[in-house]
C-alpha cells in the first residue's frame, strides 16, 4: 500500500468512526502536523456530508447482538462487552467496524441490512467505496432553468459531489439550422459568464466545469441560442432561452 493510500484509508476510517480510541487520537494529532492528511479528512467529510447531517450518531442497543444472532442462526453474542471492543472473526457477521459504521446515519439502515442479507461487503475499504458511491448518486446542487417569458421549465442542471455536472432537458428545445444551444454559468459578475457546454440539439449534456470553482448556492446557469460552433466572442450573444440559480439539495 502506498503512503497516499494509507493516508486516504486512515482519513476515511477516522471520518466514519472506524478507528479505536488510540488510533482516533493519533489521527487527530496527525491533522495538526500533516496538511495533506488534514485535506484528506476534509475531503472525506465533504463526500459524506449529507449522511453526517441526516441524523445524530446512533449507538446500537445491548439487545442488537441477540437479535442478529437469532436472525442469522448463530450463537448469541449478547455478552460482548461493548461496541468499541475488538471482535474475532473474518465474516461480516462478526465485523466490528461494519456495525460501528451503522451508527453513521439512520438513513443508511436499509443499505446496511441489505448488505447483510447478501453478504456483499466484508471489509471497511469496500464499505467506504459503497458509501461514496451512494453519496455521489444524488446531486448536491440543482438548478431549474426557466424561460423568463413563458415561465416554463426547460432544463435542469445537476451538480454532484464528485464534480460531475449535467444538463437534462425537460422539454424539446428547437434549434434552427446553423444555430446551437450554448450553456453558460456565472458565479462572479466581475469575471463574467463562462461557456460550459455546446450542442446542436436538445439532449442530455455533460457540462465542463473542471477549470472553474466548485458549484455553489445561487450560481447562475443559462442556455442561449448562438451561431453554430458557439459564441464568437466568448460571451452570450443570442437570446437567453432558459436560466436559473443553483440551490443545495436536502
Amino acid at each position: 500500500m502506498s503512503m497516499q493510500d494509507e493516508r486516504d484509508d486512515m482519513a476515511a476510517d477516522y471520518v466514519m468512526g472506524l478507528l479505536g480510541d488510540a488510533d482516533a487520537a493519533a489521527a487527530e494529532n496527525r491533522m495538526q502536523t500533516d496538511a495533506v492528511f488534514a485535506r484528506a479528512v476534509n475531503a472525506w467529510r465533504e463526500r459524506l456530508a449529507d449522511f453526517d447531517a441526516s441524523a445524530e450518531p446512533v449507538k446500537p442497543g445491548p439487545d442488537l447482538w441477540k437479535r442478529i444472532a437469532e436472525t442469522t442462526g448463530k450463537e448469541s453474542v449478547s455478552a460482548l462487552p461493548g461496541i468499541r471492543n475488538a471482535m474475532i472473526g473474518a465474516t461480516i457477521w462478526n465485523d466490528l467496524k461494519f456495525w460501528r459504521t451503522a451508527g453513521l446515519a439512520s438513513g443508511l439502515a436499509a443499505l446496511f441490512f441489505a448488505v447483510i442479507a447478501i453478504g456483499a461487503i466484508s471489509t471497511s475499504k469496500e464499505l467506504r467505496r459503497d458509501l461514496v458511491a451512494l453519496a455521489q448518486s444524488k446531486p448536491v446542487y440543482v438548478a431549474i432553468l426557466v424561460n423568463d417569458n413563458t415561465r416554463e421549465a426547460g432544463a435542469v442542471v445537476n451538480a454532484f459531489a464528485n464534480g460531475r455536472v449535467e444538463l437534462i432537458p425537460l422539454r424539446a428545445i428547437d434549434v434552427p439550422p446553423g444555430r446551437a444551444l450554448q450553456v453558460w454559468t456565472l458565479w462572479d459578475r466581475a469575471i463574467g459568464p463562462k461557456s460550459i457546454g455546446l450542442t446542436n440539439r436538445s439532449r442530455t449534456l455533460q457540462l465542463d466545469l473542471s477549470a472553474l470553482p466548485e458549484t455553489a448556492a445561487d450560481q447562475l446557469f443559462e442556455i442561449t441560442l448562438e451561431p453554430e460552433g458557439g459564441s464568437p466572442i466568448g460571451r452570450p450573444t443570442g437570446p437567453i432561452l432558459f436560466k436559473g440559480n443553483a440551490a443545495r439539495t436536502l
Side-chain angles (χ1 to χ4, degrees):
M1 179 184 293
S2 69
M3 181 178 295
Q4 181 177 352
D5 289 338
E6 180 275 332
R7 182 188 294 116
D8 192 62
D9 285 354
M10 185 177 185
D13 284 345
Y14 173 75
V15 171
M16 291 193 292
L18 299 179
L19 299 179
D21 291 339
D23 288 337
E28 289 168 359
N29 290 334
R30 183 173 179 179
M31 281 189 286
Q32 305 302 317
T33 59
D34 187 340
V36 178
F37 178 70
R39 286 196 295 271
V41 169
N42 288 333
W44 274 99
R45 284 172 173 162
E46 284 290 326
R47 289 167 183 161
L48 303 177
D50 289 343
F51 298 151
D52 191 45
S54 63
E56 294 296 326
V58 177
K59 182 176 181 179
D63 61 334
L64 176 61
W65 304 114
K66 181 179 179 181
R67 296 203 307 272
I68 294 170
E70 291 172 351
T71 301
T72 62
K74 297 193 177 291
E75 294 181 1
S76 174
V77 288
S78 59
L80 289 176
I83 193 68
R84 288 187 178 275
N85 290 349
M87 298 178 67
I88 299 175
T91 67
I92 195 169
W93 311 108
N94 294 326
D95 189 339
L96 173 62
K97 289 186 176 182
F98 179 86
W99 291 107
R100 290 181 63 195
T101 308
L104 181 64
S106 60
L108 290 177
L111 171 64
F112 289 130
F113 283 102
V115 165
I116 295 171
I118 63 175
I121 296 180
S122 60
T123 67
S124 61
K125 190 168 186 177
E126 290 171 336
L127 178 57
R128 286 194 296 270
R129 186 171 60 245
D130 274 27
L131 285 172
V132 171
L134 188 60
Q136 293 177 346
S137 67
K138 62 183 292 291
V140 179
Y141 290 94
V142 173
I144 306 298
L145 310 191
V146 176
N147 182 284
D148 274 347
N149 296 324
T150 65
R151 305 311 300 167
E152 291 181 334
V156 59
V157 172
N158 294 319
F160 298 86
N162 63 357
R164 184 171 68 88
V165 184
E166 65 181 10
L167 179 139
I168 302 175
L170 299 178
R171 58 185 297 276
I173 304 175
D174 293 331
V175 183
R179 306 284 291 213
L181 301 174
Q182 194 157 7
V183 187
W184 308 82
T185 189
L186 174 66
W187 73 99
D188 186 336
R189 294 188 177 280
I191 297 176
K194 293 293 184 180
S195 174
I196 54 175
L198 182 70
T199 180
N200 59 4
R201 60 187 176 88
S202 178
R203 64 182 178 88
T204 296
L205 190 64
Q206 298 300 315
L207 304 177
D208 183 10
L209 279 76
S210 57
L212 306 180
E214 291 184 0
T215 302
D218 295 325
Q219 183 168 331
L220 177 68
F221 291 88
E222 65 182 27
I223 303 173
T224 63
L225 188 62
E226 301 291 343
E228 187 173 13
S231 168
I233 63 172
R235 292 287 189 273
T237 62
I240 298 174
L241 303 181
F242 301 98
K243 66 180 182 180
N245 294 83
R248 190 172 183 88
T249 60
L250 298 179

